Each structure stands twice: as C-alpha cells, then as structure tokens.
Amino acid sequence: MSTATPIKVDTSRPGIPLSRIVKVELRKMFDTRSGFWLMMSIGIVAILATASVIAFAPDSAIQYGSFGTAVGVPFALLLPIIAILSVTGEWSQRTGLVTFTLLPHRGQVVWAKAIVSVVVAVVSMLLAFAIGAVGNVLGAAINGLDPVWDLDLGQFLAIILANVLGVLVGFMLGILVRNSAAAIVAYVAYAYILPGLLGFLAATQSWFDDIRNWIDFNNAQGPLFDGSLTGEQWAQLGTSGLIWFVIPMAIGVRFVLRSEVK
Amino acid sequence: MITVKNLSKTYGSFRAVDDVSFTCRPGAVTGFLGPNGAGKSTTMRIIAGLTLPDAGEAHVSGVRYSDVPNPGTQIGVLLDASAQHAGRSGREILTIGALTMGLPMSRVDEMLELVSLTPEESKRKVRNYSLGMRQRLGIAHALLGDPKILMLDEPANGLDPAGIHWMRSLLREYANRGGTVLLSSHLLHEVQIIADELIVIGNGKIVAQGTKDELLASAGTFVRATDPSALASALTSAGISATPSGEGGLRTDATPEQVGAAALQGQVALVELRAAEGAGLEELFLELTASTQREAVTPEGANA
C-alpha cells in the first residue's frame, strides 16, 4: 500500500556519549524528593555520627580514627542502598521504558549508573572524612586535648576502597534482582549475615576452614586493608570475587541487556 | 517510515504476535487497531527495541531501532504515559529527556506549550497528574527531539473529546509536514477520528489493513424490515446470504439493488435499505472483540 521512497537513517551520526549519560544519571539521583533526601542523609548521617563521637566517646577515643569508624558503619549500608536504588528504580518506577527507549544500548546505561554510584560513594567518603576532621578538631578543643590524627593515607584509602567494594556488590545485587526491597535485603544478608554464617562454618568444619579464603569474598578482602598482598592472597581475592561478584554481575547484566522492558 | 516484516513473538504457548507485517508511510497517520491483548503493545515494543522478537524484523527508516544514533531525535516513542517516576515533575521529566538527547533547554518550554501544560502544571509532581495530563506530557516527550516518526501506544486513552480533537489536529499537521505516525487504540471511533490508514490486529494476527476509506467502504448493504424473519426468508429464497446486524437489521455483501429486488419479490416492507458504511469494519472489530471478551455479551450495558 506504500510507494514512498525509503528514507534511510544515517547510522554514522554521533550517538550519545557516555559522559552525557553519566550526567543525566547523576541528576536522576537528586531530582525526586525521596532521592534528594537519600542523598542529603549522607551528610546528615556523617554529622550525626561525628556529633555522637564528640558527645559519647571517652577522651582517649577522641581521635580521627574514631570518627572514621563512626561514619564508616552507617555508610557501609547507606552507600550500597543508593547504588541499588539507582538501578532498581528503573524497574520499580517503570522509568526503564523511557530510559531504554532513548538509550537502546543498555550497556551504556549500566556503565553510567556504575560510574555514578562509585563517584557518589567516593565523594561521600571524602565529605565524611572532612566532617570527621572538623569533629576531631572540635572534639579535641571541647575536651581540652590536642587533636590526634591517627589515620595514615594507606588506611584512609583502604576505608574508601572497602566502601567502593560494598557499593559495587550492592550495585551487582540491584542489577541481578532488579527489585528494591529484595536487593536491599540481599545486601544486608550478604554484608551482615553471611560473614557470621561462613565464620561459624569455618569454626565447626575444618574442610571449609581450609578453603574458606578461596571462596569467602569478605575474608579475602581482609588483607587488602592491611597493605601488601601475597600472590596467593591475590589469587584468593580473584576466585572469591569471581564467585560473589563477577559471575552474578555477568548474569545480571546479561539479563538487563536482553530482557523485555515493560 | 516504519517497516515490520513477518514479526512473531511467543510467550510460553501464547502467540502474542503472529507473522505481522505492515508499513507506515510518511505523510499519513496510521491507526493500529485491535482489542486489548491483541498484540499492539508487544509489536510496538519490538519496533522500539525493548522486546526481542522470536522471528521477523522491524525497521525504522530502513535500519533497526538500536542502530539509530540518538534515537529520540529520529523517532518519538510513547509506550505508557504512566511509566514515569511519580515523584518527578513534568518539567523535570522533559528536562531529563532533553539532556539525554543533547537538546537545548528551550525545547522543554516549547513542548510544554505545544501540549498546553501550563508552567504551573509543569512544576507539579506527575503523581498529581490526571491520565489526560500524563498523555499530553508523554506526547511532549515523544516530540521533544523533533523526530520524523512518531509511535504512540494508546495516546488518546484518558483524553476527553476535546483532547482527542486536539490530538487529531496535532498529528494531522505533523503528518502533513511529512511525518510518519503510528498510533494504537482499542477503540474504533477513536482511530476513525484520527487515522488515515488502518491496521487491524486480533489475536496477534493482522486481519485487515488499508486506507480508512477502503476499509470503511468495503461493506455491502444494511437492510431492516418490520418483520425480520420474513425479510430473512425473502433474502434466502433470492440466494442472498445475510447476517444479523444491529437492532433487527441484516447485513449482506449483496448490493442494495439486489436486496431491494429480493424484498419486492418476497413482499416484505422495508424500513431501511442503504450501503452499510463502515459496518464491515465495525463487525470485523466486534467479532475480534467478542472472541477475546471475558464477559458474555448482554444487550444492556454491552458498551460499558
């Protein structure tokens, strides 16, 4: 019924650069009331944690490391949740229908979200360290002490790395489950229940204790924060990371790339 | 131009789209008509690259959707006006779209004005929008990148009659400027108002396609008598087969002349005798709807 001459789209025209998608994804983290307050909670939690160290810690504990620890505990949950929601929102709010229509190369969207999650985590940690530093000075002044700076650069980077790894695991769970509540529960189970279970298993079953370092990702990460790793420890980080991060991430990404968006 | 060739998609044992082929040409509004669950949305999602077909292919201006660079500037898509984050304002949703496509922010205001969303309304959260407002926002979003092709799934759903006429003139102008429009609907009268060409789909299969005039004309005769059974036997004895249509009427493929002669022969007084405009399409559509209908058809409230 049609005799119209076919018009061809010029496929060599420039597509959408990743940098632009990163910018858009960053904006999408802030542009709803719930998203905005989730991001604000990073600063609020850091200030609350810092204030409680000043209020409740004994004089001997008024040192920079205490502030770092106080902020680290809530951040270990908060930052992965932010990463999870950036992914699962596309499904729970069904915005994926528009996102993946404008950006049919879904891998780009996954990359952009991963980059934004890591950037937000690192910036949040730097902000928290800055708030902690102010708290340390303030706490020392209030208690008439000299501020103690007991964190060296290595420890500082190790704390950031630990949080980034947590964010990546959260991100992976978001990609794998694509449901906000389920992904958060899975992360809590991974971060808080699994280590205890594996520890119990290792304590009661010697065969597991022998291979634990090869399959327990949390355990294998331990040496990372102490500084130098032996060749075997790198290999253990590799095998356990393969089990707990690389393989589930690959499964999740494959699904996201191929699944039907409704 | 949108070209769909031998498209099929099966979910389990359910064949949602069954060997569907059609072309939407520039300069025309093509209506994609079918009852709920006929396969319209699945076909449109396949065109937009959101669903992978089991067989066949869909092309947009000669290439696959996923090969179109910055597709929002080539084909505007509205698949579900409610699939938006309820906590974002209409303006913010358009802003995100404009940023993604790399458009100047002035496009956001232009599109809001085009779909008659006031600046005050545009700042409201989408959760407070009526379905009609969401549809307008969705159409604004589809037009944002100034695309040459538009694909809209049930865009008139939730619009009031004035809104439907507004959309007709909007799409009419768009097509007159050389644009290609594919829009779906499950309501015949909606499509009749807006579209030039029709593709009718039922149970995943294309059952009719052509220009609106063709489909509405190819209808035969509608005839009604005070005594329907006498009329029926008069037609039968004249060798004309007829099916019941409307209230006490009959529809047949024979011409009005043949039907009139048969009635005279059988001495039946007619109340009505005319070319059945569109009745063919309407009955085809009713048949499709009836086979997928969940409730038994009852005389009262059948149109509810």
Side-chain angles (χ1 to χ4, degrees):
Chain A
M1 74 187 169
S2 167
T3 51
T5 47
I7 318 155
K8 261 217 155 159
V9 162
D10 182 4
T11 48
S12 63
R13 290 177 337 117
I16 299 176
L18 185 63
S19 59
R20 203 197 284 164
I21 308 171
V22 168
K23 242 185 275 174
V24 170
E25 287 299 331
L26 188 62
R27 185 182 176 112
K28 280 159 74 177
M29 278 194 171
F30 287 89
D31 72 353
T32 62
R33 195 172 299 159
S34 52
F36 178 79
W37 283 107
L38 186 62
M39 301 307 275
M40 284 300 108
S41 72
I42 292 172
I44 295 167
V45 163
I47 290 170
L48 284 179
T50 301
S52 43
V53 171
I54 298 174
F56 304 120
D59 281 7
S60 59
I62 300 286
Q63 48 197 20
Y64 195 40
S66 307
F67 291 97
T69 310
V71 172
V73 173
F75 269 35
L77 185 59
L78 191 56
L79 297 179
I81 287 180
I82 289 171
I84 286 169
L85 293 179
S86 82
V87 176
T88 55
E90 299 284 356
W91 278 267
S92 63
Q93 301 283 343
R94 299 184 59 223
T95 48
L97 210 56
V98 170
T99 305
F100 295 126
T101 303
L102 291 183
L103 300 162
H105 301 284
R106 302 182 196 172
Q108 275 193 316
V109 179
V110 174
W111 271 114
K113 284 182 185 292
I115 290 168
V116 167
S117 295
V118 169
V119 166
V120 164
V122 171
V123 170
S124 304
M125 293 307 295
L126 294 177
L127 177 77
F129 279 122
I131 292 172
V134 173
N136 194 25
V137 172
L138 221 61
I142 289 169
N143 293 290
L145 309 163
D146 286 330
V148 182
W149 304 98
D150 59 343
L151 276 187
D152 62 29
L153 185 68
Q155 290 168 305
F156 179 80
L157 292 177
I159 295 173
I160 292 182
L161 179 63
N163 274 284
V164 168
L165 285 174
V167 163
L168 287 177
V169 170
F171 184 80
M172 174 274 286
L173 289 170
I175 292 277
L176 188 65
V177 209
R178 297 173 306 280
N179 173 294
S180 308
I184 291 171
V185 169
Y187 183 77
V188 169
Y190 167 83
Y192 299 99
I193 300 173
L194 189 68
L197 280 179
L198 293 180
F200 176 75
L201 197 60
T204 54
Q205 304 286 329
S206 62
W207 63 267
F208 181 73
D209 196 33
D210 295 339
I211 58 163
R212 179 179 184 187
N213 284 335
W214 294 94
I215 59 170
D216 185 342
F217 194 32
N218 266 316
N219 231 34
Q221 284 173 35
L224 209 53
F225 308 117
D226 303 331
S228 58
L229 274 78
T230 65
E232 190 186 49
Q233 283 170 327
W234 276 115
Q236 289 171 340
L237 198 61
T239 56
S240 59
L242 195 69
I243 296 168
W244 290 98
F245 182 72
V246 177
I247 291 175
M249 185 72 159
I251 294 170
V253 167
R254 192 182 148 75
F255 186 91
V256 167
L257 296 189
R258 298 187 55 88
S259 74
E260 181 169 33
V261 183
K262 285 195 172 182
Chain B
M1 190 159 84
I2 300 174
T3 323
V4 169
K5 236 185 274 170
N6 306 111
L7 218 55
S8 290
K9 175 76 186 175
T10 308
Y11 297 99
S13 62
F14 174 63
R15 210 158 174 73
V17 177
D18 193 354
D19 200 25
V20 163
S21 300
F22 61 81
T23 302
C24 303
R25 61 176 180 85
V29 177
T30 306
F32 197 16
L33 177 68
N36 293 323
K40 303 185 297 290
S41 299
T42 307
T43 304
M44 288 179 139
R45 276 204 313 275
I46 292 172
I47 295 170
L50 294 172
T51 295
L52 292 175
D54 297 330
E57 49 190 11
H59 284 157
V60 174
S61 293
V63 301
R64 281 187 316 161
Y65 185 92
S66 56
D67 292 333
V68 180
N70 201 352
T73 60
Q74 299 296 321
I75 168 165
V77 176
L78 169 61
L79 289 178
D80 185 344
S82 294
Q84 284 294 355
H85 195 300
R88 287 197 180 109
S89 67
R91 173 178 294 276
E92 177 63 21
I93 285 167
L94 294 185
T95 304
I96 290 175
L99 285 173
T100 306
M101 291 182 244
L103 308 170
M105 284 305 121
S106 57
R107 281 300 283 175
V108 172
D109 293 294
E110 286 169 31
M111 289 305 107
L112 285 170
E113 196 174 329
L114 181 73
V115 301
S116 311
L117 285 174
T118 65
E120 187 265 324
E121 286 169 333
S122 76
K123 289 183 191 109
R124 262 194 251 159
K125 306 280 180 214
V126 168
R127 78 162 52 86
N128 301 320
Y129 278 26
S130 66
L131 182 54
M133 287 167 77
R134 284 175 205 214
Q135 294 286 19
R136 285 170 188 268
L137 180 68
I139 291 165
H141 194 276
L143 287 167
L144 200 55
D146 196 20
K148 296 168 192 69
I149 303 171
L150 269 184
M151 183 167 72
L152 313 169
D153 195 0
E154 297 277 354
N157 196 7
L159 289 182
D160 52 25
I164 291 178
H165 281 268
W166 161 77
M167 198 170 68
R168 171 172 72 166
S169 46
L170 181 86
L171 297 180
R172 180 81 277 129
E173 274 172 41
Y174 182 86
N176 288 346
R177 289 198 309 269
T180 306
V181 183
L182 173 63
L183 83 132
S184 74
S185 174
H186 64 284
L187 298 173
L188 178 61
H189 76 88
E190 230 173 57
V191 164
Q192 269 179 314
I193 293 173
I194 301 169
D196 314 307
E197 306 207 341
L198 290 179
I199 300 163
V200 188
I201 186 170
N203 296 319
K205 284 195 181 79
I206 303 280
V207 291
Q209 57 180 319
T211 67
K212 186 167 62 177
D213 295 339
E214 274 167 25
L215 288 178
L216 293 183
S218 64
T221 303
F222 176 82
V223 60
R224 197 155 64 89
T226 39
D227 184 351
S229 55
L231 174 63
S233 58
L235 291 179
T236 313
S237 53
I240 297 170
S241 65
T243 49
S245 169
E247 284 165 25
L250 292 172
R251 204 186 73 76
T252 159
D253 293 332
T255 62
E257 288 84 359
Q258 291 169 319
V259 173
L264 180 64
Q265 193 75 38
Q267 303 219 319
V268 183
L270 295 184
V271 182
E272 215 174 337
L273 173 63
R274 60 178 163 83
E277 305 154 0
L281 186 59
E282 190 156 1
E283 270 181 19
L284 171 67
F285 189 60
L286 276 177
E287 233 169 76
L288 284 177
T289 323
S291 59
T292 56
Q293 204 139 23
R294 284 162 224 287
E295 304 86 18
V297 180
T298 50
E300 284 102 349
N303 297 324

